[in-house]
């Protein structure tokens, strides 16, 4: 109700300038470094209120070996309305033997992948991951709040190993631009 999670993709690393606000005047402007996957969480919003968002410009950072002029994006202003209230927090489950077709709301019917769970979570949710090795790099698209963080933890007494599947170790969880997240008990290879 007080957060909007927005994501976009680029064909190469960029500096992305965007603007947003409670009117089409888009009174807020920010710039983010984006490595193909752009994600931001607009926080402190008013529940049940309409907001507007637009990507204004893409440019190549000086550190990237791609020569290109900045691109002024001719995108329309996007409109979204925040929920009137946050959904109640929930606990979700993941297991190597699970299925993403399951409900994910009990240890008996867990989801298969941590990424699938990450795509479903919202403010205050908790994901409990059963023992095993998970070959994935997990991108978080949502952000928590200080009073209601999003938590990923291992099942008590079980060893969970995240193998980034030939990706850099520092990218087992990609949480750029997110806050109020907790991770507990994971091993990384």
């Amino acid at each position: 109700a007080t957060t909007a999670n927005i994501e976009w993709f680029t064909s190469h690393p960029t500096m992305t300038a965007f603007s947003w606000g409670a009117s089409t005047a888009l009174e807020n402007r920010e710039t983010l470094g984006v490595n193909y996957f752009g994600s931001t969480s607009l926080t402190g919003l008013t529940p049940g209120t309409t907001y507007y968002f637009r990507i204004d410009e893409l440019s190549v950072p000086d550190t990237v070996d791609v020569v290109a002029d900045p691109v002024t994006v001719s995108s329309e202003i996007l409109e979204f309305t925040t929920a009137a209230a946050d959904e109640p927090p929930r606990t979700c489950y993941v297991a190597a033997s699970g299925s993403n077709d399951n409900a994910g709301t009990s240890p008996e019917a867990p989801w298969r992948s941590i990424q699938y769970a990450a795509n479903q979570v919202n403010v205050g949710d908790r994901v409990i991951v059963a023992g095993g090795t998970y070959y994935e790099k997990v991108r978080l698209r949502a952000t928590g709040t200080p009073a209601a963080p999003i938590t990923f933890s291992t099942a008590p007494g079980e060893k969970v190993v995240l193998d980034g599947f030939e990706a850099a170790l520092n990218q087992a969880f990609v949480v750029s631009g997110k806050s109020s997240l907790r991770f507990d008990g994971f091993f990384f290879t």
Side-chain angles (χ1 to χ4, degrees):
T2 61
T3 301
N5 300 305
I6 299 172
E7 65 184 35
W8 62 94
F9 298 91
T10 60
S11 59
H12 57 270
T14 66
M15 294 301 295
T16 302
F18 62 90
S19 50
W20 64 278
S23 74
T24 55
L26 304 170
E27 49 278 347
N28 304 292
R29 185 170 168 89
E30 297 182 41
T31 300
L32 290 177
V34 173
N35 194 11
Y36 302 100
F37 174 81
S39 179
T40 190
S41 293
L42 307 177
T43 59
L45 305 179
T46 303
T49 301
T50 299
Y51 289 91
Y52 303 89
F53 177 91
R54 179 182 63 211
I55 293 179
D56 300 313
E57 183 179 88
L58 303 171
S59 60
V60 178
D62 294 336
T63 58
V64 175
D65 292 333
V66 174
V67 177
D69 292 328
V71 175
T72 299
V73 181
S74 59
S75 68
E76 294 181 24
I77 296 174
L78 303 175
E79 179 180 317
F80 64 91
T81 302
T82 54
D86 285 329
E87 294 288 324
R90 60 190 177 139
T91 300
C92 305
Y93 297 87
V94 173
S97 61
S99 168
N100 291 340
D101 292 329
N102 288 342
T105 54
S106 73
E108 294 76 33
W111 290 320
R112 167 62 186 95
S113 73
I114 301 169
Q115 181 63 63
Y116 189 83
N119 292 346
Q120 313 305 316
V121 296
N122 209 337
V123 175
D125 287 349
R126 181 175 183 189
V127 177
I128 299 174
V129 182
T133 299
Y134 295 82
Y135 298 95
E136 47 186 315
K137 176 172 72 174
V138 182
R139 291 188 190 277
L140 268 294
R141 291 172 161 88
T143 194
T145 66
I150 297 171
T151 302
F152 286 79
S153 62
T154 59
E158 297 189 26
K159 184 175 181 179
V160 175
V161 176
L162 266 174
D163 183 328
F165 197 58
E166 299 178 11
L169 176 63
N170 64 358
Q171 293 184 348
F173 281 101
V174 179
V175 297
S176 178
K178 306 303 174 186
S179 61
S180 299
L181 303 171
R182 293 184 181 164
F183 302 93
D184 186 29
F186 293 93
F187 288 83
F188 304 96
T189 63

